[in-house]
Amino acid sequence: MELTASDFTQNLHLLLLVALGLALVVIEGAKKSRAPISYWTAVVGLFVALVLTFFSLEPKGPTFQGMMQSGGFASYFTVVFLLASLMTVLLSRSYLERMEMHYGEFYALVVFAALGMILMASALDLIIVFLGIELMSLCLYVLAGFFRKTLVSNESAVKYFLLGAFATGFLLYGITLVYGATGTTSIEALRERMSLHTGDALFLIGAAMLVVAFAFKAAAVPFHMWAPDVYEGAPTVVTAFMSTGAKAAAFSVFITVLMGSSEFSHDGLNGVLALIAAASMVLGNITAIVQSNLKRMLAYSSIAHAGYMLSGVAAANTEGHTGILYYVVAYAFMNLGALGIISMMEHKEGKGLTFDDYAGLGTRRPALAAMMALFMFSLAGIPPFAGFFGKYYVFLAAIKADLIWLVIVGVLTSLVSVYYYLRLVVVMYFQTGEAEVAEQPSPAALAAVGIAAVLVIQLGLFPSIVVNLAQRLY
C-alpha cells in the first residue's frame, strides 16, 4: 500500500489518539500511583484531538488507499466520540477515587475505545470495521469489569465478553460470505455491485450476519440480552460511555454499510430492520417500567432508543440519515448527563442507584435535581428539549418511507416511556427522603453534567444547528 503525506495530515486526530493512548500506558507503567497525571494527560489530549477534528469537518474524501474516509461523516461522528470520551474522563476521577479504584489504565482504555469507535465511523472497508469493533469491544470488556474486587462487575464483564465474542463470530463469518459473493470487502465497491447480488443467497446470508453483529453493538432486540446486566454491573461512568459512544459507533456502521447505497434499500431488508426497531421500542419501554434500579431502567431505555434510531435506518432515505445523525448527538448528552448525576449519587456500598434513594433530592440538591429532571424530560421526548426533535426526525423519515405502522408503534411506546422517566421526577420533588450525593461533586464532574444540560436545551431550541451540519457533511 502506498501512503502519502495527506493520509497522515488528514488523520492527525487519529494519530494523536494513538500517541495519547501509548503515552498513558507508559505513564502508568513507569511508576504506580500516577493516576492524576494520567487523568490530566487524557483531558488535554482528548481536548486537543477534539479541536483538530473540528478543523477537519469539511469533506476531504478517502484516505489510506480508500480504506478509510476523512472529514465529513467520519469527522462528525469523531466529534461525538471525543466529546463522550472527554466527558467520561471528567466524570471519572472523583467517582473512581470515591470507589478506591482510581488507576491510570482506566484513561488509556477510554482513549483506545474511542480510537476503535473512530475507526468504525471512518471505515470504507469491512476489515477496518472489524478492527474498529474489536478494538472498542476489548477495551469495553475490561472497563466493564474494572471494579475487579466487585462480583457484579466481574459478572458483567464475563457476560459482555462471551456474548461479544459470539457476535464477533457472526461479523467475521458475514464478512467472509459477503467477500465470497462479491469478491471484495471494500464498502464503496459493494455499493457499486449491490444490485448484482440482491438475489444471491450467499450474499444475503452474509449481510444478515452483519446486521446481527451491528444490532448486538447497538443493543437492539433480539440481541439485547447483555445490556441490562452489563450496564448495571459496570462502573456507572463506564455505563455512560458504553451507552452513548458504543451505540453511536454501531449506528455509524449501520449508516456506512447499510444506508450508503440505494440499491440495498429494498423491502426485505427494510422490513427486517423495521421489525427489529419495533421490537426494541416495545420490549425496551415496557420492561423499563418495572425496574427499580436506575441503571437497569436506563439500560432498557437504551434498548428502546436503539429502536427509535433504527427507524431511521429502516427508512433508508435522506431524512433517515439526518435523523440518526441528530439523534446520536442528542442521546449522547441526555444519557451522559443522567448517568453522570447517578455517578455522583452512588455510594461505595451501592446506595444511590434506586428510585427511592432520590426521594427529596429536589429539596436537598435543587440544581442536581433540576438537571436530572431536564434529562428525564428530554429522554421522554417532551418538547422543547433535544430528545423530542430526535424522535421527530426519525419518525418523519419513517413516514416518508411509508412505514406508518412503525411510527404508530414509536409514538405509543414513547407515551409508555413518559411513565418511568417522570416517575423519577415525582420521587425527587414530591416524596420526602434523605437523598444526598455520596460526597461533594468535583468541579470537573459538575462542569461535564452542566455542559450536557446546556446542550440538551440548546439542541432542543435550535435543532437546525446540528441538522444543517449533518445535511452538509453527509
Side-chain angles (χ1 to χ4, degrees):
M1 178 182 290
E2 182 180 349
L3 302 179
T4 64
S6 63
D7 290 331
F8 296 98
T9 57
Q10 293 178 24
N11 291 281
L12 283 177
H13 58 285
L14 205 61
L15 300 176
L16 174 61
L17 285 181
V18 174
L20 175 61
L22 294 176
L24 290 169
V25 172
V26 172
I27 290 171
E28 184 61 20
K31 185 179 179 181
K32 296 295 182 183
S33 304
R34 292 200 174 186
I37 299 176
S38 297
Y39 167 78
W40 284 111
T41 303
V43 169
V44 173
L46 287 170
F47 180 77
V48 174
L50 182 62
V51 172
L52 288 175
T53 306
F54 274 113
F55 284 110
S56 67
L57 275 176
E58 291 302 323
K60 288 189 174 66
T63 60
F64 296 116
Q65 296 292 301
M67 297 290 286
M68 295 174 59
Q69 56 184 321
S70 174
F73 171 85
S75 293
Y76 180 93
F77 272 96
T78 299
V79 169
V80 177
F81 302 146
L82 291 176
L83 281 172
S85 303
L86 182 58
M87 292 176 70
T88 299
V89 169
L90 292 174
L91 289 168
S92 297
R93 180 175 179 177
S94 59
Y95 175 79
L96 294 175
E97 287 176 343
R98 183 167 71 251
M99 299 299 176
E100 299 180 0
M101 290 296 292
H102 189 214
Y103 300 111
E105 58 260 33
F106 179 91
Y107 305 111
L109 289 166
V110 170
V111 169
F112 282 123
L115 184 61
M117 296 172 190
I118 294 170
L119 286 177
M120 292 169 66
S122 304
L124 286 178
D125 193 283
L126 293 178
I127 302 301
I128 301 297
V129 171
F130 169 72
L131 292 175
I133 286 179
E134 286 309 291
L135 178 58
M136 176 190 75
S137 299
L138 289 173
C139 294
L140 292 180
Y141 298 153
V142 180
L143 286 171
F146 198 75
F147 288 173
R148 53 184 177 270
K149 298 179 182 178
T150 305
L151 181 61
V152 68
S153 183
N154 292 332
E155 180 185 348
S156 70
V158 171
K159 286 182 177 179
Y160 192 22
F161 171 72
L162 292 177
L163 292 174
F166 190 65
T168 297
F170 273 89
L171 175 63
L172 278 175
Y173 199 48
I175 292 174
T176 302
L177 293 179
V178 169
Y179 176 76
T182 63
T184 182
T185 57
S186 168
I187 295 173
E188 292 287 348
L190 286 174
R191 292 172 182 171
E192 296 173 0
R193 306 176 191 180
M194 202 75 75
S195 59
L196 302 176
H197 298 280
T198 51
D200 186 339
L202 189 66
F203 174 79
L204 292 177
I205 293 172
M209 289 186 170
L210 295 181
V211 170
V212 169
F214 300 156
F216 175 87
K217 295 303 176 185
V221 173
F223 314 105
H224 67 286
M225 301 79 68
W226 59 275
D229 291 336
V230 174
Y231 283 19
E232 181 184 13
T236 302
V237 289
V238 175
T239 302
F241 186 49
M242 291 168 58
S243 64
T244 54
K247 191 177 292 291
F251 278 96
S252 72
V253 177
F254 263 120
I255 294 174
T256 302
V257 177
L258 299 183
M259 298 180 70
S261 171
S262 59
E263 297 289 349
F264 201 54
S265 302
H266 55 76
D267 293 338
L269 175 66
N270 291 354
V272 171
L273 292 174
L275 288 174
I276 294 175
S280 300
M281 290 186 284
V282 172
L283 185 143
N285 282 307
I286 291 178
T287 312
I289 292 176
V290 299
Q291 305 302 316
S292 59
N293 183 288
L294 284 176
K295 289 172 71 175
R296 287 190 74 86
M297 181 271 281
L298 288 174
Y300 283 106
S301 160
S302 177
I303 295 169
H305 284 281
Y308 298 133
M309 285 185 261
L310 275 173
S311 300
V313 179
N317 51 26
T318 303
E319 291 79 9
H321 294 153
T322 304
I324 297 171
L325 292 175
Y326 179 90
Y327 208 123
V328 294
V329 175
Y331 181 73
F333 294 127
M334 294 186 293
N335 226 43
L336 273 168
L339 284 162
I341 293 176
I342 293 173
S343 72
M344 298 176 189
M345 296 287 295
E346 184 180 354
H347 295 249
K348 186 180 178 182
E349 58 273 13
K351 184 181 177 183
L353 296 176
T354 66
F355 281 87
D356 294 337
D357 292 329
Y358 285 72
L361 186 65
T363 302
R364 300 177 68 87
R365 292 279 182 167
L368 285 182
M371 287 191 288
M372 181 61 97
L374 167 67
F375 297 132
M376 292 299 107
F377 285 135
S378 188
L379 284 166
I382 296 175
F385 304 114
F388 168 77
F389 288 99
K391 293 180 181 178
Y392 168 78
Y393 287 121
V394 293
F395 290 162
L396 176 64
I399 290 174
K400 292 196 173 183
D402 294 326
L403 294 171
I404 307 299
W405 68 270
L406 185 60
V407 177
I408 294 173
V409 172
V411 171
L412 292 177
T413 53
S414 293
L415 293 175
V416 173
S417 73
V418 172
Y419 170 79
Y420 60 82
Y421 287 129
L422 297 193
R423 175 186 170 193
L424 180 60
V425 178
V426 170
V427 169
M428 290 191 299
Y429 285 99
F430 299 102
Q431 290 186 13
T432 57
E434 301 297 323
E436 187 54 88
V437 294
E439 62 181 31
Q440 180 61 33
S442 68
L446 286 174
V449 173
I451 291 171
V454 170
L455 289 173
V456 166
I457 297 173
Q458 181 80 9
L459 294 177
L461 295 177
F462 305 101
S464 59
I465 295 175
V466 174
V467 171
N468 293 339
L469 179 65
Q471 290 174 342
R472 188 172 81 248
L473 294 180
Y474 186 76

